[in-house]
Amino acid sequence: MAENWSSTDSGIIRFPSGALVRGRGLRHALLPGPAPSFAVYLLGKPPPATTWDARWLRCPDFWVPDRQQARSLFEEALTRAADERVEIACGGGRGRTGTALACMAVLDGVPADQAVAFVRRHYHRRAVETPWQRRFVLRFPGA
């Protein structure tokens, strides 16, 4: 198993359980430091090949993914983040990535009505870009 991220690494969010997950935008260069061991990529088309275990969650820019598929992948990512380097990414690293991180925060115990604020405070101040992404997070527990 891979070691986890450092909380001082760029783009890292710490969930209430202590799990560390890196968010990033795929349009930007790979961040310095160790590579992830598992990733979930929220994109409208298949992601580029990686040397690490990765899952594609179909999600066009500014939209939301399928709720059931998202829940399954976000649960897997959160579980694996306990002792692996997990990355969540989309094109720009804010909207879809922020939405995924907010949903993972809900799974980790953050109340759904506070999850967007949690991610904006701990990951990126402009995470979760659209009203339907915010609504997706608010309704996420009902998946």
Side-chain angles (χ1 to χ4, degrees):
M1 289 279 150
E3 290 183 28
N4 208 327
W5 304 109
S6 164
S7 60
T8 60
D9 290 338
S10 181
I12 302 298
I13 182 171
R14 180 183 296 275
F15 291 104
S17 66
L20 299 173
V21 174
R22 179 171 78 182
R24 80 173 174 109
L26 294 173
R27 289 192 295 262
H28 310 292
L30 188 62
L31 298 168
S37 53
F38 177 72
V40 175
Y41 296 125
L42 295 96
L43 299 166
K45 62 182 181 180
T50 63
T51 58
W52 50 85
D53 189 13
R55 306 281 189 278
W56 173 40
L57 182 55
R58 182 185 297 271
C59 185
D61 202 5
F62 298 107
W63 287 96
V64 296
D66 174 82
R67 192 176 304 275
Q68 292 299 328
Q69 290 175 333
R71 185 178 188 110
S72 175
L73 284 175
F74 299 161
E75 286 174 342
E76 179 181 2
L78 193 57
T79 298
R80 292 179 74 160
D83 60 3
E84 294 182 58
R85 290 184 303 270
V86 172
E87 173 176 87
I88 306 294
C90 64
R94 291 186 192 157
R96 294 167 287 176
T97 296
T99 301
L101 293 172
C103 290
M104 290 174 68
V106 171
L107 292 172
D108 203 49
V110 175
D113 63 346
Q114 298 172 29
V116 171
F118 176 86
V119 170
R120 287 179 174 170
R121 186 170 52 254
H122 296 287
Y123 171 65
H124 193 285
R125 65 183 179 85
R126 292 175 52 202
V128 190
E129 296 174 315
T130 68
W132 41 93
Q133 289 172 339
R134 288 189 296 277
R135 198 167 36 251
F136 184 84
V137 173
L138 192 58
R139 295 177 180 167
F140 189 70

